Amino acid sequence: MSRNWTGELIYEGKAKRVYRVNDEFLVMEFKDEVTAFDGARKEHAPSKGKLAAAQTVFLMGLLGKYGIRNHLVDWDGDRKILVRSLRMIPIEVIVRNYAYGSFLKRMPLVKSMTKFSKPLIEFHLKSDELHDPLITTDDIIEAGLASQEQLNEIMGIALRINEILNNYMASKGLTLVDFKLEFGFDKSNNLVLADELSGDTIRVLINGRHLDKELFRRGSSSADLVKAYEEMNKILGIS
Ligand SMILES: Nc1ncnc2c1ncn2[C@@H]1O[C@H](COP(=O)(O)OP(=O)(O)OP(=O)(O)O)[C@@H](O)[C@H]1O
Ligand SMILES: [Mg+2]
């Protein structure tokens, strides 16, 4: 298959542009941009798109080897990936191994970077307007976004993904703090892992130092963020 995929631009988010190739496939183009605080801080970040695409391709590939169904079909070797077009569930599934980020804001009784007794899973509604609020499984079911059975399946897959990523990261001396997942349904109503797995959506530390977007949230330049993504790729063994 040629990798000069073309299609109509159907969506532009902060991190990616989405093009419709046909009924079955989409192209996701990772932008050379980094944003934080719901877009309030935004900078051009040359080569970030390719680095994040490479991370996504590598990690989806790793998960695929362990039987985790995901949307990735192909990569152009640069900023674009070809994916299966899914009916997305508009929620973010977050898995946490250590107390950090929005967890600390809502639960100040736990100290930063405390290791949880077991991985925590939480659901947030994807809504920039509402700042992606934490929601309950009952909220999701009542809104008709997913059934209890589907949520159980999502939680099982999310924990399995955590195990796989944790083991891999640990083997490279990295600490997996937390990460965000998105899921959709394919035409046969199978749950499929979608979106991206990159430094934008995964918090990962090397000797206590962030190699992820947290650097930018805390005031580092986009150039330093790109350096951190390069370092992450080197450590993970991504060419
Ligand atoms: N396989 C897929 N099929 C259909 N839509 C997908 C698939 N994978 C990801 N998406 C959607 O494509 C969009 C990617 O864009 P992007 O991540 O830039 O924006 P966003 O998540 O809407 O907002 P934000 O700017 O907060 O990230 C998301 O809305 C995501 O839910
Ligand atoms: Mg997104």
Side-chain angles (χ1 to χ4, degrees):
M1 198 193 284
S2 138
R3 292 190 168 96
N4 293 317
W5 308 305
T6 49
E8 177 203 352
L9 178 70
I10 53 167
Y11 182 81
E12 176 155 4
K14 292 192 290 296
K16 306 185 271 327
R17 289 186 195 91
V18 182
Y19 302 86
R20 184 185 172 278
V21 175
N22 53 39
D23 275 358
E24 235 181 307
F25 301 111
L26 301 174
V27 168
M28 296 204 323
E29 178 188 31
F30 289 75
K31 301 205 267 186
D32 277 341
E33 254 171 30
V34 54
T35 69
F37 314 117
D38 290 328
R41 182 170 182 218
K42 175 173 162 178
E43 270 180 41
H44 189 56
S47 58
K48 185 209 167 222
K50 181 176 179 175
L51 291 164
Q55 290 162 353
T56 298
V57 168
F58 179 81
L59 294 172
M60 293 262 178
L62 176 71
L63 296 176
K65 281 185 204 152
Y66 288 90
I68 305 287
R69 203 186 287 126
N70 68 73
H71 71 163
L72 183 72
V73 178
D74 203 356
W75 180 32
D76 74 349
D78 192 8
R79 293 191 295 114
K80 288 182 185 162
I81 59 175
L82 183 71
V83 303
R84 236 162 264 290
S85 179
L86 303 173
R87 184 163 50 82
M88 295 298 289
I89 310 171
I91 60 180
E92 299 194 335
V93 180
I94 297 181
V95 181
R96 301 184 184 277
N97 295 304
Y98 295 84
Y100 207 86
S102 66
F103 174 88
L104 296 173
K105 288 199 181 127
R106 69 164 193 267
M107 180 39 82
L109 304 178
V110 177
K111 268 209 262 170
S112 181
M113 284 304 288
T114 304
K115 190 170 199 311
F116 293 123
S117 59
K118 59 173 188 347
L120 305 192
I121 298 182
E122 60 194 52
F123 299 100
H124 292 248
L125 183 66
K126 268 181 79 81
S127 163
D128 278 350
E129 251 183 358
L130 303 178
H131 309 292
D132 299 342
L134 181 70
I135 53 176
T136 66
T137 53
D138 283 342
D139 296 349
I140 294 168
I141 294 162
E142 291 304 320
L145 299 178
S147 66
Q148 184 65 64
E149 292 67 35
Q150 289 165 337
L151 286 172
N152 291 346
E153 192 183 344
I154 286 174
M155 290 188 275
I157 298 170
L159 289 177
R160 181 72 185 121
I161 290 173
N162 187 46
E163 261 173 30
I164 298 164
L165 294 183
N166 235 329
N167 288 339
Y168 189 77
M169 302 275 182
S171 78
K172 303 287 176 182
L174 299 169
T175 304
L176 180 61
V177 178
D178 54 31
F179 56 91
K180 181 217 69 170
L181 304 171
E182 291 186 30
F183 292 89
F185 295 108
D186 67 12
K187 296 218 164 59
S188 318
N189 259 350
N190 295 307
L191 262 176
V192 181
L193 175 66
D195 206 49
E196 67 177 285
L197 287 172
S198 74
D200 282 20
T201 60
I202 301 177
R203 284 199 185 97
V204 58
L205 306 176
I206 179 94
N207 302 322
R209 183 165 56 84
H210 280 275
L211 293 178
D212 58 74
K213 202 170 94 170
E214 196 61 30
L215 287 170
F216 186 75
R217 288 191 198 96
R218 293 184 180 192
S220 290
S221 67
S222 51
D224 282 344
L225 182 74
V226 166
K227 274 189 211 135
Y229 281 24
E230 278 166 356
E231 189 179 348
M232 188 197 303
N233 288 14
K234 205 166 155 199
I235 295 170
L236 288 177
I238 301 173
S239 53

